Amino acid sequence: MLLNPVVRSIHEDVKTPIVLIGVDQSQSITENSSQAQLNTLTSSMENLHDQLSEKYDVRLFSIGQETKEGLDTAFQSSQSNLASFLELASDQFAHLNVGAMVLASDGIYNVGKNPLYTGKRL
């Protein structure tokens, strides 16, 4: 023991899990929903963000022709590229502690790759 002292150290680095929320901003959402439903969707996403922010690092994204950070409530994008949100999650958050991903959409995409195949990379 005197000739070979043993030093042990434990370093614990706790990282808050990340929750990614993507909301489809295409016009097809407004065509198939009433204004009350759109208001409910928007307020539900904001409430979800607020509730989860207490324990998690929550990131909101608006999905249209491209994915942008933040929640846009206009629903005026002429195209939906759901794969861009999944690719962003895969590329930018690949080595981070992503705990969950929420995708709010009508499921209609008209540009980009098929989101079913893009999602398999996650």
Side-chain angles (χ1 to χ4, degrees):
M1 253 336 236
L2 294 174
L3 298 176
N4 292 327
V6 176
V7 178
R8 292 184 185 172
S9 68
I10 298 174
H11 176 71
E12 189 172 310
D13 189 15
V14 179
K15 295 190 179 193
T16 305
I18 299 170
V19 176
L20 305 175
I21 301 175
V23 181
D24 189 354
Q25 296 297 315
S26 65
Q27 293 173 350
S28 64
I29 298 285
T30 59
E31 292 171 359
N32 298 317
S33 304
S34 67
Q35 188 60 42
Q37 290 173 322
L38 293 175
N39 292 340
T40 301
L41 172 65
T42 303
S43 64
S44 295
M45 291 298 111
E46 290 171 348
N47 289 339
L48 180 64
H49 176 272
D50 294 341
Q51 290 175 357
L52 292 176
S53 292
E54 296 173 7
K55 293 184 180 181
Y56 306 101
D57 179 11
V58 182
R59 311 278 177 93
L60 272 170
F61 295 93
S62 296
I63 305 167
Q65 294 171 336
E66 57 188 33
T67 299
K68 298 176 185 173
E69 192 155 1
L71 182 60
D72 182 12
T73 58
F75 298 99
Q76 293 299 313
S77 182
S78 61
Q79 296 178 326
S80 289
N81 188 353
L82 301 179
S84 71
F85 173 65
L86 300 173
E87 288 173 348
L88 177 130
S90 178
D91 294 343
Q92 291 186 6
F93 298 95
H95 301 294
L96 299 176
N97 187 16
V98 177
M101 184 183 309
V102 177
L103 176 60
S105 172
D106 58 2
I108 300 171
Y109 70 96
N110 52 11
V111 68
K113 300 174 187 171
N114 187 330
L116 292 175
Y117 299 120
T118 306
K120 290 187 180 197
R121 287 184 23 195
L122 297 173

